[in-house]
Amino acid sequence: MEITSATSAKATYVKGLDDEEEENEEQEVQEEQEPAVTSKEEGDQVSFASEDLDESTVNDKVTGFVQNLIAASNITDASREQLQRYLDTFDVAKFIKDYGPFESVRDISAAMYAVTSGLIKYKEQEE
């Protein structure tokens, strides 16, 4: 009884898997290297899949973001007051002008993090 045929069949199968993985990796690298636009002719226009978020949406997301920070149990009372004051005086048009335009909620969150990071102090930091 000879086992080499089973072993060589398994080795051939494994080699086939390795070859497929290499081909997939080469294809991914090639796709990454290809430019998104191959040629640009006069009249070509760039269009985006999503439009900029409007003032109402930005205002809602900012309000939710700040309210979540205010609700955090580990921030100081002074931080809560500063955040509430910011929310009370929030000007959505100025915010969009300074940090926008926003194409996603992630953009709004990043801007809000930048704005509020200086307002927040944690109870652990006071001790």
Side-chain angles (χ1 to χ4, degrees), residues 20 79 123:
E20 285 180 29
S79 293
K123 290 179 180 177

Side-chain angles (χ1 to χ4, degrees), residues 66-83:
V66 173
Q67 287 177 345
N68 284 339
L69 290 174
I70 291 171
S73 61
N74 61 341
I75 66 171
T76 64
D77 291 335
S79 293
R80 280 192 182 86
E81 290 172 14
Q82 286 182 331
L83 288 168

Side-chain angles (χ1 to χ4, degrees), residues 62-97:
V62 167
T63 301
F65 187 92
V66 173
Q67 287 177 345
N68 284 339
L69 290 174
I70 291 171
S73 61
N74 61 341
I75 66 171
T76 64
D77 291 335
S79 293
R80 280 192 182 86
E81 290 172 14
Q82 286 182 331
L83 288 168
Q84 187 61 51
R85 190 175 19 248
Y86 177 79
L87 191 58
D88 293 341
T89 60
F90 180 70
D91 181 2
V92 68
K94 183 177 180 334
F95 181 75
I96 292 173
K97 181 181 174 190

Side-chain angles (χ1 to χ4, degrees), residues 89-109:
T89 60
F90 180 70
D91 181 2
V92 68
K94 183 177 180 334
F95 181 75
I96 292 173
K97 181 181 174 190
D98 291 345
Y99 298 99
F102 302 107
E103 294 180 1
S104 69
V105 174
R106 185 182 326 185
D107 295 340
I108 298 170
S109 294

Side-chain angles (χ1 to χ4, degrees), residues 36-73:
V37 178
T38 55
S39 67
K40 181 166 174 84
E41 297 177 9
E42 191 173 332
D44 283 350
Q45 293 182 350
V46 177
S47 62
F48 296 98
S50 64
E51 296 180 12
D52 295 340
L53 299 176
D54 62 0
E55 285 187 9
S56 175
T57 304
V58 171
N59 191 39
D60 292 345
K61 298 304 176 187
V62 167
T63 301
F65 187 92
V66 173
Q67 287 177 345
N68 284 339
L69 290 174
I70 291 171
S73 61

